[in-house]
């Protein structure tokens, strides 16, 4: 996630300037090293992303996702957002495709990526016909499409 997005989201939610500056100062000039078998690499600057294992990073992700999704999200129970995972519920495949693409397009505008290859679909309900779509809706359990191995 680009760092400018973090600052933008905090401003948009009305966080006071001194606090935005304090948070952003944690990322200014941030450096890391790569661990190797024969020692660490030289330090290099990290210009995107958030600090791993930091409680602040979780809060910042919530702030960014809240700000980004305010304009297009539907609401509970149709969309459930947990950290960087999203569950979208729809009554038709067309509606599901439309809503997933809307989420994908909107988060990509701010510089985040959506891995559609990790997308899973569960079909449920009485008299629902389960179809095999290996490429479009992969199953994380069987590496096939949603078919006889899907939850019903």
């Amino acid at each position: 996630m680009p760092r400018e997005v973090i600052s933008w989201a905090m401003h948009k939610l009305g966080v006071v300037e001194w606090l935005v500056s304090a948070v952003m100062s944690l990322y200014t000039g941030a450096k890391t090293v790569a661990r190797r078998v024969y020692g660490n690499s030289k330090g290099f600057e990290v210009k995107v992303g958030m600090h791993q294992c930091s409680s602040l990073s979780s809060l910042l992700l919530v702030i960014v996702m809240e700000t980004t999704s305010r304009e297009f999200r539907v609401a509970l129970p149709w969309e459930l957002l947990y950290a960087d995972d999203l569950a979208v519920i729809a009554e038709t495949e067309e509606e599901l495709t439309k809503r997933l693409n809307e989420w994908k397009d909107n988060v990509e505008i701010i510089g985040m990526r959506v891995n559609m290859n990790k997308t899973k679909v569960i079909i449920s309900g009485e008299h629902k016909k389960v179809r095999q779509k290996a490429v479009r809706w992969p199953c994380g359990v069987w590496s096939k499409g949603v078919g006889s191995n899907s939850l019903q």
Side-chain angles (χ1 to χ4, degrees):
M1 174 181 318
R3 304 255 167 85
E4 308 82 55
V5 172
I6 298 169
S7 176
W8 164 79
M10 292 175 73
H11 281 112
K12 186 137 178 149
L13 286 183
V15 176
V16 292
E17 185 59 39
W18 71 265
L19 191 50
V20 175
S21 296
V23 168
M24 297 314 294
S25 71
L26 296 172
Y27 292 99
T28 303
K31 293 187 176 190
T32 192
V33 297
R35 290 190 179 195
R36 302 181 301 194
V37 175
Y38 300 106
N40 295 341
S41 69
K42 290 183 179 181
F44 56 93
E45 191 172 354
V46 180
K47 297 182 180 181
V48 296
M50 293 184 278
H51 299 304
Q52 291 184 354
C53 302
S54 165
S55 353
L56 180 60
S57 296
S58 299
L59 176 61
L60 293 175
L61 179 63
V62 168
I63 288 171
V64 169
M65 293 309 294
E66 167 65 23
T67 307
T68 303
S69 66
R70 273 187 170 180
E71 303 300 320
F72 65 89
R73 69 177 180 233
V74 176
L76 291 171
W78 300 104
E79 296 166 344
L80 307 170
L81 187 59
Y82 180 76
D84 63 347
D85 291 326
L86 170 68
V88 175
I89 300 169
E91 295 194 18
T92 66
E93 184 177 344
E94 293 76 26
E95 182 185 350
L96 179 65
T97 301
K98 177 182 175 258
R99 298 202 17 239
L100 285 174
N101 285 330
E102 191 169 29
W103 270 93
K104 182 179 182 299
D105 294 344
N106 280 284
V107 298
E108 286 179 351
I109 287 171
I110 64 166
M112 295 174 68
R113 289 183 301 122
V114 175
N115 188 343
M116 293 305 278
N117 291 326
K118 289 185 176 181
T119 301
K120 320 274 187 304
V121 172
I122 298 173
I123 299 171
S124 68
E126 289 184 46
H127 311 295
K128 296 291 181 187
K129 183 178 178 184
V130 179
R131 291 175 278 163
Q132 183 91 4
K133 288 194 170 196
V135 176
R136 190 164 183 195
W137 307 117
C139 173
V141 177
W142 298 103
S143 298
K144 297 178 181 178
V146 172
S148 60
N149 62 333
S150 66
L151 302 176
Q152 298 186 45

